[in-house]
Amino acid sequence: MELKPSGNLKIDTFSMRIGDIEGVELDRLHALSLSVGWPHRAEDWQFLRESGEGFVALDDIGRVLGSAMWFAHGADFATVGMVITSSRLQTLGAGQWLMKRVFEKVAGRDLRLNATRAARRLYLSLDFQPEKTVYQCQGIARTEAMGRPADIRGDVRSLDARDIPAAIALDAAGFGVRRAALIEKLFAHSAGYGLFKGETLSAFALCRSFGRGHVVGPVVAERDADAVAVVRPHVADHSGSFLRIDTHMDNGEFAAFLSHSGMPVFDTVLTMSMGKRLADFAVGGAVAPVTYALASQTLG
């Protein structure tokens, strides 16, 4: 019988206690992510806190030494992210302690996360299964090297609030889970472009402030050319500034477009799952929407 994790953990010469992430000042969370080289601003932490729930690990004098968050979508699925432990604690069991607290809150749900190289051993020990590599593509966006636009089947235009229901449905088909609240929140913080065939939304890409500049995602489309069509305007909007996209695509027209647009692969993480595998969420049919870019590594 598995024992319930305690509310305190003795580490080396000091103890840690669990706390609700809502009760922690943003500058302290920002300092935690900076300590491990993650680009999240205080504003990015706030967006995540408004979108999900989480724990922090605190020492005896209230310093934030770790975090873990989860983002539930319905009663059966959640993504896990922002699992951070300070460098002095990474081999002392703090990550596993935090994850076991998360497991109490997401019991019965299928889980998905994106693991850094440093964290993969932890997640494998907790029975997460490897799925796909995520390519973190980033750099200074440039339009002069994007190449000629492919033939577009439809019209590309800016998105507004009227397009949210269609985007929710398209995202659900590509991601495999309906994320209505998250897509609505992303719309409120993003600029968006959609590809329309008649009155039907067939592809879309959102872009918002994040980290060193902006991040594009999610991107959902049925084929590479459509994904390129809705990302291209974002590249033009941010030409000369920092832009990032996290994608599972490592070849083909979409991957080539990102590289030519000033966003080569910078790093990789690994999508992992517990419960249902990625293939179990796939939509059948000859032509189905595909998630070309994640909302973020944390959100999936």
Side-chain angles (χ1 to χ4, degrees), residues 198-220:
E199 296 299 317
T200 301
L201 180 68
S202 62
F204 77 92
L206 302 181
C207 180
R208 68 189 188 281
S209 296
F210 174 82
R212 294 172 55 190
H214 287 76
V215 62
V216 179
V219 178
V220 184

Side-chain angles (χ1 to χ4, degrees), residues 37-41 44 136 138-140 209-215 241-244 266:
W38 289 16
H40 300 72
R41 307 165 302 157
D44 301 323
Q136 181 179 325
Q138 63 184 50
I140 303 303
S209 296
F210 174 82
R212 294 172 55 190
H214 287 76
V215 62
S241 60
F242 185 85
L243 197 59
R244 169 176 169 174
F266 172 77

Side-chain angles (χ1 to χ4, degrees), residues 26 30 41 83 88 107 138 151 184 196 257 267 280 295-296:
L26 287 173
H30 184 214
R41 307 165 302 157
V83 181
R88 66 188 294 195
Q138 63 184 50
D151 292 334
E184 288 179 0
F196 290 82
F257 167 77
D267 199 1
D280 298 326
S296 71

Side-chain angles (χ1 to χ4, degrees), residues 31-263:
L32 176 66
S33 52
L34 281 177
S35 73
V36 293
W38 289 16
H40 300 72
R41 307 165 302 157
E43 296 91 336
D44 301 323
W45 275 102
Q46 182 58 27
F47 180 91
L48 293 171
R49 289 202 306 188
E50 292 172 358
S51 304
E53 301 176 78
F55 292 123
V56 289
L58 304 166
D59 69 6
D60 291 332
I61 59 174
R63 290 177 298 189
V64 180
L65 300 180
S67 65
M69 297 192 71
W70 66 96
F71 306 85
H73 304 290
D76 300 321
F77 180 84
T79 58
V80 176
M82 301 308 290
V83 181
I84 304 174
T85 55
S86 62
S87 57
R88 66 188 294 195
L89 303 180
Q90 287 176 358
T91 61
L92 298 175
Q96 190 169 75
W97 179 63
L98 281 163
M99 284 298 297
K100 287 184 177 180
R101 300 290 304 201
V102 171
F103 286 161
E104 290 183 324
K105 298 295 185 179
V106 297
R109 287 183 167 91
D110 298 307
L111 303 179
R112 196 180 303 172
L113 55 77
N114 292 297
T116 63
R117 292 181 185 87
R120 289 175 193 174
R121 181 178 297 181
L122 165 65
Y123 298 128
L124 287 170
S125 74
L126 295 170
D127 295 327
F128 280 89
Q129 301 300 309
E131 294 282 5
K132 292 181 178 180
T133 299
V134 176
Y135 300 90
Q136 181 179 325
C137 302
Q138 63 184 50
I140 303 303
R142 57 181 190 267
T143 56
E144 65 272 14
M146 287 195 300
R148 297 181 61 185
D151 292 334
I152 300 175
R153 303 177 188 172
D155 300 311
V156 175
R157 66 166 174 81
S158 298
L159 299 176
D160 58 36
R162 295 169 297 178
D163 302 307
I164 292 176
I168 290 171
L170 199 60
D171 176 75
F175 190 76
V177 174
R178 185 175 173 85
R179 305 188 290 177
L182 176 61
I183 298 301
E184 288 179 0
K185 187 165 186 61
L186 286 168
F187 259 73
H189 289 78
S190 305
Y193 290 99
L195 176 64
F196 290 82
K197 298 176 181 178
E199 296 299 317
T200 301
L201 180 68
S202 62
F204 77 92
L206 302 181
C207 180
R208 68 189 188 281
S209 296
F210 174 82
R212 294 172 55 190
H214 287 76
V215 62
V216 179
V219 178
V220 184
E222 294 176 351
R223 62 186 189 121
D224 280 28
D226 294 350
V228 170
V230 292
V231 172
R232 184 182 295 274
H234 290 302
V235 176
D237 290 345
H238 299 286
S239 181
S241 60
F242 185 85
L243 197 59
R244 169 176 169 174
I245 295 183
D246 295 291
T247 179
H248 287 122
M249 307 300 171
D250 64 341
N251 56 56
E253 182 181 351
F254 184 73
F257 167 77
L258 297 183
S259 181
H260 293 158
S261 301
M263 291 176 283

